[in-house]
């Protein structure tokens, strides 16, 4: 009798683990192999600066995970395995050079009043968006959680048409194609409000003028106000640890520090994997690869389908990110003290600045004024630092994976080894301008360059934290290629998952969950 597992999963990121847990809960024998020393991929937590200070390596916001289909179905069991959330009603804010700020909280009246302080007309627009959000969210979340296949799209299209009518459906389609700037310019008059919302596009790879990017500023604004934000209690790795325990409780296994060097085939069907130590492990039902499209080709030696191979070879990645982890004696003294209550503070003062930063990074230049996402997790979860101390989680967006030059003309280094410190200093100088004295509060610092992110996790090519551009040409039914958004590949029994596959990046575990449900039949 064979001892081969039903499914082998390559990679132990959160999509892999969600897929593994769902399959195992439906009776599948699942084995996961991870090249890194620990599971989690970009979702992990560690004491990267000083003992007692817990920093989220890359992903911090678990709102998508908390609201995911996977958590909805398995949340009770995950909680039994230690999953714990730390919610906040003050998810994000933006600060501006003129000393003003705008914060989005889940108190509708308070947030609307903040908007009104910038523009009465914008307060009316905000109220309309707030009123319409429940009905709009039903359609949008239905789309984002839908398998990208003909049957699901036909059903979703028909239901949307029946609910919204022809005009409303076409308006939705138009909105989904809009750039952040186009939608924001048509909706608001205040440049401060536009910049506050446009900053969310930069979390993916939607600079203000990129078509298809309006959806993300809209959803983050409305969902942030409606639901707040959710962090992981003690660190984002609470989700990973709980899924590992759940998988093991159902008889599954995870082997870390074990690179996969090949996906074996016979008769057009995936039969198993070869490990770096020479072992072959067979799979009875499925080999599931949570890898980049380029890595999928490398592992298989080719999929045998010219169109699919061309799509994998041509898959485009977003610009990179640099992380700065700071152990702090105290929170930054923002010029607006109210900012100390928010989980995120964006330093992205205008849409023009964001567009310039994106263009510079795409051109291989270190941006002269990078966008800064200042995460303040200990505002929400004090357990991440010793009593009275704090951690800051800084994302520096955007950053080129390969440096060709410096937009400011000051940093001569073209290797991340030498450019990391001066570029980090540039970001900290910007932060210091909004919160004077921040540097004096730093107890420990750890810089993570785009190259370090990729070295740690090969799926983050060039420091691309979302494993591939979400621009329209490789999103929806085109992620990662037309006809393969459901995780199938031209090789039978070989499946593709992870952020490179629909519905893409983020901590919602959508790709892994959709594939698991497809394979398990429920």
């Amino acid at each position: 009798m064979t001892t081969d597992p039903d499914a082998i999963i390559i990679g132990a990121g959160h999509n892999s683990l969600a897929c593994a847990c769902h399959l195992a809960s439906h009776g599948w024998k699942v084995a996961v192999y991870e090249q890194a020393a620990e599971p989690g991929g970009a979702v992990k937590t560690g004491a990267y600066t000083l003992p007692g200070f817990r920093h989220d390596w890359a992903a911090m916001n678990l709102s998508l995970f908390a609201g995911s289909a996977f958590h909805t179905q398995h949340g009770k069991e995950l909680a039994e395995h230690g999953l714990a959330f730390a919610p906040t009603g003050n998810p994000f804010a933006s600060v501006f050079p003129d000393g003003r700020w705008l914060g989005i909280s889940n108190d509708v009246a308070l947030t609307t009043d903040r908007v009104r302080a910038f523009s009465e007309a914008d307060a009316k627009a905000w109220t309309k968006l707030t009123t319409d959000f429940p009905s709009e969210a039903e359609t949008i979340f239905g789309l984002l959680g839908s398998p990208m296949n003909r049957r699901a799209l036909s059903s979703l299209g028909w239901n949307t048409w029946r609910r919204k009518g022809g005009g409303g459906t076409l308006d939705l389609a138009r909105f989904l194609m809009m750039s952040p700037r186009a939608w924001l310019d048509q909706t608001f008059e205040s440049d401060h409000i536009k910049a506050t919302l446009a900053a969310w596009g930069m979390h993916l790879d939607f600079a203000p003028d990129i078509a298809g990017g309006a959806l993300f500023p809209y959803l983050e604004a409305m969902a942030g106000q409606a639901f707040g934000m959710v962090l992981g209690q003690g660190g984002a790795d609470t989700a990973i640890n709980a899924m590992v325990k759940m998988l093991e409780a159902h008889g599954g296994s995870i082997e870390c520090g074990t690179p996969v060097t090949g996906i074996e085939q016979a008769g057009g069907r995936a039969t198993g994997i070869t490990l770096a130590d020479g072992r072959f492990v067979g799979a009875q039902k499925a080999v599931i690869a949570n890898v980049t499209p380029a890595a999928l080709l490398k592992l298989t030696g080719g999929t045998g389908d010219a169109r699919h191979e061309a799509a994998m070879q041509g898959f485009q990645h977003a610009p990179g990110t640099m992380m700065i982890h700071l152990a702090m004696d105290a929170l930054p003294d923002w010029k607006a003290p109210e900012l100390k209550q928010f989980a995120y503070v964006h330093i992205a003062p205008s849409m023009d600045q964001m567009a310039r930063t994106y263009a510079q990074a795409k051109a291989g230049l270190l941006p002269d004024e990078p966008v800064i996402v200042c995460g303040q997790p200990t505002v929400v979860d004090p357990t991440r630092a010793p009593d009275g101390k704090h951690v800051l989680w800084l994302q520096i967006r955007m950053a080129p994976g390969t440096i060709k030059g410096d937009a400011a003309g000051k940093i001569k280094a073209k290797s991340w080894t030498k450019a990391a410190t001066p570029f980090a200093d540039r970001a900290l100088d910007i932060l210091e301008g909004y919160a004077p004295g921040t540097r004096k509060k730093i107890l420990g610092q750890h810089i993570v360059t785009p190259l370090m992110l990729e070295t740690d996790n090969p799926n983050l090519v060039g420091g691309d934290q979302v494993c591939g551009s979400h621009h329209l040409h490789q999103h929806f039914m085109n992620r990662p290629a037309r006809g393969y958004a459901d995780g199938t590949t031209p090789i039978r029994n070989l499946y593709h998952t992870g952020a490179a596959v629909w519905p893409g990046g983020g901590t919602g575990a959508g790709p892994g969950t959709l594939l698991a449900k497809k394979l398990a039949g429920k």
Side-chain angles (χ1 to χ4, degrees):
M1 183 176 179
T2 181
T3 59
D4 289 342
D6 294 311
I8 291 170
I9 300 182
I10 303 170
H14 75 285
N15 274 295
S16 294
L17 294 176
C19 184
C21 286
H22 187 84
L23 291 175
S25 73
H26 286 82
W28 286 46
K29 183 181 178 182
V30 183
V32 180
Y33 294 88
E34 167 59 49
Q35 59 90 29
E38 61 182 304
V43 185
K44 60 183 180 182
T45 308
Y48 306 125
T49 57
L50 297 171
F53 292 84
R54 289 181 57 77
H55 306 268
D56 290 334
W57 176 253
M60 180 179 114
N61 180 356
L62 294 186
S63 294
L64 289 176
F65 187 83
S68 69
F70 176 76
H71 182 258
T72 298
Q73 183 168 353
H74 299 291
K76 182 178 179 180
E77 184 173 357
L78 291 169
E80 293 171 354
H81 291 299
L83 175 64
F85 294 128
T88 177
N90 297 303
F92 70 94
S94 280
V95 61
F96 300 100
D98 61 7
R100 304 184 75 183
W101 65 279
L102 175 59
I104 306 303
S105 300
N106 67 355
D107 181 324
V108 174
L110 175 60
T111 301
T112 305
D113 283 344
R114 290 175 182 155
V115 172
R116 183 174 291 109
F118 289 93
S119 165
E120 182 62 42
D122 287 352
K124 292 179 181 177
W126 187 268
T127 298
K128 179 170 174 31
L129 290 174
T130 300
T131 301
D132 293 345
F133 179 62
S135 61
E136 297 293 345
E138 181 179 356
T139 301
I140 292 173
F141 287 136
L143 172 64
L144 296 179
S146 171
M148 273 295 125
N149 57 44
R150 187 176 302 173
R151 179 178 180 181
L153 288 175
S154 297
S155 176
L156 182 65
W158 168 247
N159 289 334
T160 302
W161 190 281
R162 186 171 57 182
R163 186 165 55 249
K164 288 179 166 291
T169 301
L170 292 173
D171 286 345
L172 175 61
R174 174 178 176 272
F175 169 68
L176 292 174
M177 292 186 286
M178 293 180 79
S179 70
R181 191 191 298 267
W183 176 67
L184 290 164
D185 279 346
Q186 290 185 13
T187 307
F188 300 106
E189 63 180 16
S190 165
D191 289 336
H192 294 79
I193 295 171
K194 295 175 188 178
T196 299
L197 303 191
W200 277 105
M202 302 293 280
H203 282 253
L204 291 173
D205 57 328
F206 285 105
D209 299 300
I210 303 297
L215 175 63
F216 300 98
Y218 166 75
L219 278 184
E220 290 293 347
M222 291 295 102
Q225 179 181 241
F227 309 117
M229 183 181 285
V230 172
L231 306 187
Q233 186 73 39
D237 66 348
T238 182
I240 301 301
N241 296 337
M243 286 191 285
V244 168
K245 291 177 181 177
M246 176 179 170
L247 175 60
E248 292 174 344
H250 286 277
S253 65
I254 298 179
E255 194 170 324
C256 292
T258 310
V260 175
T261 57
I263 296 172
E264 305 305 322
Q265 308 171 47
R269 181 178 70 89
T271 57
I273 60 173
T274 299
L275 304 176
D277 60 12
R279 283 181 291 159
F280 170 78
V281 183
Q284 296 190 61
K285 296 181 180 180
V287 175
I288 300 167
N290 183 350
V291 298
T292 65
L296 186 71
L297 284 185
K298 182 178 180 181
L299 289 171
T300 58
T303 61
D305 181 288
R307 184 174 67 81
H308 181 265
E309 289 185 4
M312 299 300 98
Q313 290 170 343
F315 190 80
Q316 295 178 333
H317 285 272
T321 297
M322 185 171 80
M323 301 294 306
I324 306 176
H325 299 298
L326 299 176
M328 302 290 292
D329 189 49
L331 288 172
D333 287 321
W334 301 99
K335 291 180 180 179
E338 297 92 338
L339 293 172
K340 289 185 177 183
Q341 63 187 309
F342 287 89
Y344 279 177
V345 178
H346 288 124
I347 303 177
S350 72
M351 290 196 290
D352 289 343
Q353 176 256 349
M354 291 179 239
R356 185 179 74 250
T357 294
Y358 185 84
Q360 290 169 347
K362 287 288 286 183
L365 302 178
L366 296 168
D368 56 1
E369 188 183 359
V371 168
I372 299 174
V373 186
C374 181
Q376 304 181 126
T378 39
V379 170
V380 182
D381 176 18
T383 69
R384 297 182 182 215
D387 288 347
K389 309 303 180 184
H390 290 272
V391 299
L392 288 188
W393 174 95
L394 301 183
Q395 278 191 333
I396 314 303
R397 295 182 177 270
M398 302 289 191
T402 301
I403 303 170
K404 297 180 180 179
D406 177 28
K410 296 179 180 179
I411 300 173
K412 303 305 179 184
K414 293 187 179 179
S415 72
W416 272 112
T417 302
K418 295 181 178 179
T421 297
F423 189 56
D425 285 341
R426 178 174 296 171
L428 292 174
D429 286 343
I430 294 172
L431 175 58
E432 188 83 10
Y434 290 90
T438 297
R439 271 197 170 90
K440 295 179 181 179
K441 301 176 188 293
I442 297 175
L443 302 174
Q445 174 178 298
H446 182 57
I447 301 170
V448 184
T449 68
L451 178 60
M452 291 167 67
L453 286 171
E454 181 177 358
T455 300
D456 178 76
N457 180 353
N459 285 0
L460 308 185
V461 176
D464 167 18
Q465 290 195 358
V466 292
C467 197
S469 169
H470 289 70
H471 296 178
L472 289 175
H473 71 283
Q474 62 180 42
H475 201 34
F476 297 105
M477 71 288 297
N478 297 315
R479 190 171 189 89
R482 176 175 57 80
Y484 299 101
D486 64 351
T488 56
T489 73
I491 301 171
R492 286 182 291 117
N493 287 14
L494 174 62
Y495 300 91
H496 195 186
T497 193
V501 181
W502 168 259
T507 58
T513 304
L514 287 172
L515 178 59
K517 289 187 173 184
K518 174 186 178 70
L519 295 177
K522 53 186 173 180

